Amino acid sequence: MSMTNRETSTDRSREPAAVQFENVSLHYESGPEILRNISFELPRGSFHFLTGLSGAGKSSLLSLVHLARRPTSGTLKLFGVDVTRAPRDVLPDLRRRVGFVFQDFRLIDHLSALENVALPLRVAGLRDRDIRRHVTELLDWVGLRDHMDALPATLSGGQQQRVAIARAVISRPDILLADEPTGNVDDTIAVRLLHLFVELNKLGSTVLIATHNEGLVDRFNAPRLHLEDAAIYRIGPPSGLLSERLEQAIKGGGSLR
Amino acid sequence: MRWFRSTLPIPDGGATKSLMTIAGVMVFLAVLCLAGALVVQNMIGRWHTEVTGTLTIQVMPRFGDPAEADALTSADVDNVVREVTKIRGIQSVDVLGEADIRALLEPWLGSSKMVADLPLPRLVSVTLNEGVRLDVPTLQTSLEAIAPGVQVEDHRRFLSGLIVLARALSALAWLLVALVAAVTSITVVNATRSALTNHWPMIELLHAIGAHDHAIARRFEWLGARAALTGGGAGLVLASGAIFLIGGLARNVQSGIIPDLTLGAGDWVALASVPVCAALLAVAATRWTVLRALKRML
Ligand SMILES: Nc1ncnc2c1ncn2[C@@H]1O[C@H](COP(=O)(O)OP(=O)(O)OP(=O)(O)O)[C@@H](O)[C@H]1O
Ligand SMILES: [Mg+2]
């Protein structure tokens, strides 16, 4: 991958956290509270899992970070910017710093795998030549070298998932959110896919992965945020830094090619 | 151009094709209406200068012994000319020769020997300086004292009815242009809405990955402008053909009944700008529609 080392040696403690929830509550129109007065923060460069039963509100929580909706009350800050009060026209630039793997992929039917992955770069206004180079490299890396021009409908579920992940990481976002990114693949491939997130995390991205695959989470010693009854609990090492065990697990998973 | 085209790969679905056809028809109609309005306006303009700038004084012939009567009539004409020349603001006073008058009357009376002997009224044509207006009834009274039976004709009575009619026609044509523009805008808005619906998943995704509203809108503006320009260009060509055809037919008639149907260079520029206006309208309408739809998302 063409990612270069960045920010690794700077002192992160004095910078504002990548994600900061302060007494955030959320409920839909007439529904019950999905999140009740929750507070936590994700330091820059941290790696967390977000767990909870189906319907606990994991996707809802991610949608707040990814600026798809505003909380009903409380304050949410990204990189110290209060996004709950920020004017609407500053949000696009913040969104570009947040990569998102949708639970349902949201690939565009009429665009090839390559063009799907290229979208964030097009939005950022890169030139065609550079876009092609970056995307080809990444698709090669996730093992889709032979499927670059394939339409999503002709790809298997796992391949579609890899396209969705590639699209989320192509612009090297400062925050990477993934909603059940390993839902469609067996544990071996799931571990391989996590390699990408770990790579990105090593380069400074803050990673938050929602999953209800407790088995997978247990195999890694990464800290974990658990949603239950609209409240959030922190489980595991507080540092939020990847443990040796995760590194081992990934190495054990082997190469993607 | 690249800036305007936008690189977001939102495809142009069938919506722009039908938009192109509609833009063609609308521009065709608008160009014809506008051409009609401009022709009528040119006509009014010409009539107006004629009405305000000239007078015709008709001196009735005296009767009696031909030679004697003719001399009397000539004296009347001389007196009238002298009187009129005294008035301020007169540019020229011309007495139409008998040959001119006979030529004017020939279509109605023929040129036989009998007609040649008819005593004819004499005509004095008065051209006023620009902006000068004469009190016609007063002039009429003062001239009647010199030459009995004299008639001062300022064309106004004759033309004012025509001008009202022409103004109404031109207003109607402009109203039609406005209606065509309104219908076009509504069509563009609807076509844009259906394009938005067709591509909504993609637009949502582009929004989610940080595309600015105006970048998404620009893509649709480009599609709308292109459809309006190509369709409208074809409409303009067809309408121009129709105008030339009608103009040619009108010139073939060669009669005073049909007024001169001409369009100046400026008029053609105005007609040629109709597809451009249609494109600008399409840009404004798509922009408004897309931005409004996007505002519903955070
Ligand atoms: N757009 C919405 N409008 C109304 N209610 C919603 C909406 N999205 C989610 N909900 C409700 O909010 C609750 C939490 O949903 P959410 O999708 O966040 O759960 P989740 O933890 O992601 O579940 P899963 O593990 O199955 O993906 C559910 O009860 C759901 O019905
Ligand atoms: Mg979910």
Side-chain angles (χ1 to χ4, degrees), chain A residues 66-70 88-89 91-93 95-96 102 106 108 110-111 115 119-120 122-123 126-127 167, chain B residues 2 7-11 199 201-202 204-213 291 294-298:
Chain A
H66 151 249
L67 306 178
R69 57 175 57 90
R70 290 190 204 263
R88 190 174 173 279
D89 57 333
L91 301 183
D93 289 328
R95 287 194 185 100
R96 290 182 194 186
F102 292 92
R106 308 233 185 136
I108 303 303
H110 65 266
L111 296 182
E115 278 306 322
L119 282 176
R122 294 214 183 281
V123 164
L126 257 69
R127 283 178 309 175
R167 187 178 64 196
Chain B
R2 186 190 148 84
T7 50
L8 299 182
I10 302 169
H199 302 307
M202 172 156 206
E204 254 181 336
L205 179 81
L206 289 171
H207 178 77
I209 62 180
H212 284 278
D213 289 359
L291 291 184
L294 291 175
K295 285 265 149 53
R296 289 202 298 265
M297 292 188 284
L298 173 64

Side-chain angles (χ1 to χ4, degrees), chain A residues 28 34 53-61 69 103 179-180 212:
Chain A
Y28 294 104
I34 308 296
L53 294 176
S54 177
K58 301 181 294 297
S59 298
S60 304
L61 187 148
R69 57 175 57 90
Q103 192 163 10
D179 200 349
E180 218 68 67
H212 50 216

Side-chain angles (χ1 to χ4, degrees), chain B residues 12-235:
Chain B
D12 61 339
T16 50
K17 232 175 255 158
S18 69
L19 194 59
M20 209 158 81
T21 316
I22 289 163
V25 174
M26 291 301 169
V27 166
F28 180 79
L29 292 176
V31 167
L32 287 185
C33 291
L34 190 60
L38 291 172
V39 162
V40 170
Q41 272 171 2
N42 290 347
M43 221 153 63
I44 296 176
R46 274 195 305 275
W47 287 343
H48 211 72
T49 26
E50 279 165 24
V51 166
T52 53
T54 64
L55 293 174
T56 306
I57 300 166
Q58 180 176 290
V59 182
M60 295 312 283
R62 299 280 185 120
F63 292 95
D65 170 63
E68 208 173 296
D70 203 44
L72 280 173
T73 314
S74 295
D76 282 350
V77 170
D78 288 345
N79 289 337
V80 164
V81 170
R82 204 172 308 123
E83 187 66 22
V84 171
T85 316
K86 279 189 227 157
I87 305 170
R88 290 213 282 145
I90 300 292
Q91 194 183 69
S92 65
V93 180
D94 298 302
V95 180
L96 267 70
E98 203 180 319
D100 293 332
I101 296 168
R102 284 198 190 282
L104 273 176
L105 291 177
E106 199 183 294
W108 282 274
L109 303 179
S111 55
S112 67
K113 177 79 181 72
M114 201 186 78
V115 173
D117 287 342
L118 268 180
L120 290 176
R122 307 286 183 86
L123 295 179
V124 178
S125 163
V126 181
T127 309
L128 305 175
N129 281 335
E130 213 161 306
V132 173
R133 283 179 172 253
L134 288 188
D135 181 4
V136 175
T138 314
L139 183 63
Q140 169 87 37
T141 323
S142 66
L143 290 184
E144 257 168 17
I146 307 167
V150 77
Q151 282 284 336
V152 180
E153 176 56 71
D154 68 348
H155 315 244
R156 200 180 298 252
R157 249 176 305 143
F158 164 66
L159 278 180
S160 61
L162 265 184
I163 287 184
V164 168
L165 174 67
R167 288 229 169 96
L169 278 176
S170 137
L172 187 66
W174 279 107
L175 183 72
L176 288 177
V177 172
L179 279 178
V180 166
V183 170
T184 309
S185 314
I186 293 169
T187 311
V188 170
V189 168
N190 284 334
T192 308
R193 287 219 176 110
S194 84
L196 281 174
T197 310
N198 289 342
H199 302 307
W200 195 247
M202 172 156 206
I203 289 160
E204 254 181 336
L205 179 81
L206 289 171
H207 178 77
I209 62 180
H212 284 278
D213 289 359
H214 60 80
I216 296 174
R218 208 190 300 138
R219 173 70 187 164
F220 285 94
E221 287 163 29
W222 159 250
L223 294 178
R226 199 182 55 179
L229 267 183
T230 44

Side-chain angles (χ1 to χ4, degrees), chain A residues 36 41 43 61 65 80 88 91 97 112 124 126 138 143 146 155 191 194 200 215 217-218 223 238 250:
Chain A
R36 187 181 317 113
E41 58 174 63
L61 187 148
V65 181
R88 190 174 173 279
L91 301 183
R97 299 176 66 183
S112 65
L126 257 69
L138 180 58
D146 300 327
L155 295 174
V191 169
L194 283 176
L200 214 66
V217 177
D218 284 343
I250 287 159

Side-chain angles (χ1 to χ4, degrees), chain A residues 181-194:
Chain A
T182 55
N184 279 47
V185 292
D186 58 57
D187 279 3
T188 327
I189 298 182
V191 169
R192 289 181 188 179
L193 284 175
L194 283 176

